[in-house]
Amino acid sequence: PEPVVPVDPEPVVPVVPVDPVPVVPDGKETCDCWTPECGFCSNPECSVKLIGGLAGSKGIGVRSFLHNRKVKTIVMYNSDGDSIGQFEWSLKRISMSGCFRCQTPEGIRDKVKGLPVGTVGWSFAINDGVVELSVEGEILYTSKLTNQCREQYGDVKSFSFTGMSCKGTFAYASEEMELATICGGADKCPANA
């Protein structure tokens, strides 16, 4: 009989799920600025400061539920703490105050429908005058800003949220951000929501 040659089994490589939006473990609550204590989004103490501004940063990464009609809003402020405008979106529409408004592209809706039920990672950025909306790490929407809009949103130094649920979080980068001193709406969210 011929000698039996041992065969090495194929190595088993463990599959590790990766979250493309770095919200956890550094995720912080998306406090709601639309409260009396936050002056209905006018109190700068309810906003997250961007140390270098929004232009050129990695953007604002969020993990939240997405709905057809319930709009997620990022309110942006200039260096004086004055509101510059808002980026709003849902699975039905996308808009930015004074700049554009459109239906949410089918590619975004399809991507979200293909994901497991639950919170979805998304991010908003302005890079070289182009608004970028990413879902689960993939840029699915871009809009080039006019010169007027580039100027209007070029001085974003802080931001806050409204329209998020208690399960909403954002990616906190301590080297780029300073947390709000007041977390609006926190009293409405149970500790383990």
Side-chain angles (χ1 to χ4, degrees):
E2 293 190 28
V4 177
V5 179
V7 178
D8 289 335
E10 298 253 344
V12 177
V13 179
V15 177
V16 179
V18 177
D19 185 359
V21 176
V23 176
V24 178
D26 295 327
K28 300 294 182 187
E29 182 180 354
T30 53
C31 302
D32 192 346
C33 67
W34 195 257
T35 63
E37 66 192 314
C38 288
F40 300 99
C41 300
S42 66
N43 182 347
E45 291 190 32
C46 294
S47 67
V48 177
K49 312 296 183 272
L50 290 162
I51 295 168
L54 183 60
S57 77
K58 295 173 192 158
I60 302 168
V62 179
R63 180 159 290 284
S64 69
F65 288 102
L66 295 176
H67 307 279
N68 282 328
R69 290 193 170 87
K70 187 166 180 173
V71 176
K72 306 300 176 195
T73 303
I74 298 174
V75 182
M76 292 166 276
Y77 306 90
N78 64 17
S79 53
D80 294 328
D82 299 324
S83 176
I84 295 172
Q86 301 176 352
F87 175 77
E88 301 177 312
W89 87 288
S90 68
L91 294 178
K92 288 275 188 203
R93 68 176 175 88
I94 298 173
S95 67
M96 196 156 152
S97 305
C99 296
F100 62 83
R101 181 183 182 100
C102 64
Q103 284 188 304
T104 301
E106 193 172 322
I108 291 177
R109 293 193 305 269
D110 290 346
K111 173 90 174 184
V112 172
K113 285 178 190 172
L115 296 172
V117 174
T119 58
V120 174
W122 57 276
S123 64
F124 163 79
I126 301 175
N127 289 309
D128 296 322
V130 176
V131 171
E132 297 175 343
L133 178 60
S134 302
V135 175
E136 294 297 345
E138 181 181 356
I139 297 173
L140 295 174
Y141 175 81
T142 60
S143 180
K144 185 175 182 180
L145 297 176
T146 63
N147 286 341
Q148 179 183 346
C149 287
R150 278 180 89 146
E151 189 175 314
Q152 178 181 347
Y153 288 94
D155 186 32
V156 174
K157 300 298 183 197
S158 61
F159 64 91
S160 59
F161 300 100
T162 189
M164 306 289 180
S165 74
C166 292
K167 292 192 183 289
T169 59
F170 75 98
Y172 173 66
S174 60
E175 66 281 353
E176 296 178 13
M177 300 174 183
E178 182 183 312
L179 289 174
T181 55
I182 299 173
C183 185
D187 58 329
K188 295 176 182 67
C189 295
N192 296 323

